[in-house]
Amino acid sequence: MTKREEYEVKTERFLQPLVEENHFELVDVEYVKEAGNWYLRAYIDKEGGITVDDCEVISRRLGEWLDEKDFIADSYILEVSSPGLGRPLKKEKDFDRSIGEDVDIRLYKPLNKQKEFTGTLKAYDKETVTITLEDGAELELNRREIALIRLAFDF
């Protein structure tokens, strides 16, 4: 397990009962480096959407726990937020909840000269994701080739 994965797993184990106690859902935890800074991010959600106050409650408790345990060697920025409208699908529960919903998919490499697809999520398994395109055609994509899959949203 990499250092990054270890930090994410430890943080997720602490957060899971805390978010459940507050009737939230833990969507994801990530430890990433962006523009020279490390970020520990926790994404939470709830029915009707998450508020700034909700994020503050979790952030405060998480920050206290992280200060006490002090297991992250690097200097980092802690962020607790909503996953946003274009929420990525990462876990099985995300895919289950999104069957029948429109999704945007971005591939690492082009397929037939195209890297981005939008369609209705029809099925998934550990290896593949199947969407129905606007013209009714089905497209099965290998999950290893998907850089990002998230709920689509129109304005």
Side-chain angles (χ1 to χ4, degrees):
M1 182 180 295
T2 67
K3 172 180 72 167
R4 182 183 63 80
E5 291 169 328
E6 178 187 334
Y7 296 164
E8 291 171 350
V9 167
K10 281 184 178 182
T11 303
E12 193 166 324
R13 282 187 186 140
F14 170 76
L15 278 175
Q16 193 60 54
L18 177 61
V19 297
E20 287 173 4
E21 170 187 314
N22 286 278
H23 308 287
F24 303 153
E25 174 192 357
L26 180 60
V27 175
D28 197 17
V29 172
E30 64 179 8
Y31 185 71
V32 294
K33 192 167 193 174
E34 294 176 358
N37 293 314
W38 282 101
Y39 290 85
L40 178 61
R41 291 191 181 114
Y43 297 98
I44 59 174
D45 207 358
K46 71 176 181 186
E47 189 75 30
I50 214 77
T51 68
V52 172
D53 290 340
D54 296 333
C55 292
E56 183 181 348
V57 165
I58 301 302
S59 180
R60 183 166 289 139
R61 295 267 308 271
L62 177 57
E64 290 168 358
W65 178 78
L66 288 165
D67 288 345
E68 177 187 317
K69 298 300 180 189
D70 198 28
F71 61 88
I72 300 177
D74 311 302
S75 176
Y76 63 93
I77 298 165
L78 175 62
E79 293 181 353
V80 176
S81 69
S82 160
L85 290 176
R87 161 185 191 153
L89 308 183
K90 294 187 173 187
K91 300 178 181 176
E92 188 167 330
K93 65 181 179 181
D94 299 328
F95 283 91
D96 284 343
R97 175 181 33 239
S98 301
I99 293 289
E101 299 288 333
D102 288 343
V103 294
D104 291 327
I105 297 177
R106 185 178 318 132
L107 303 178
Y108 288 110
K109 293 187 257 180
L111 173 67
N112 300 324
K113 300 182 182 179
Q114 188 175 343
K115 284 179 80 171
E116 296 187 7
F117 297 88
T118 298
T120 304
L121 182 62
K122 181 174 183 190
Y124 74 94
D125 59 34
K126 289 184 185 226
E127 304 294 322
T128 63
V129 170
T130 304
I131 60 173
T132 304
L133 301 173
E134 195 173 277
D135 66 4
E138 285 188 9
L139 177 64
E140 184 177 272
L141 299 165
N142 188 316
R143 283 180 75 163
R144 288 189 310 268
E145 296 171 1
I146 297 174
L148 175 69
I149 180 170
R150 65 179 178 200
L151 291 175
F153 53 95
D154 294 321
F155 290 102

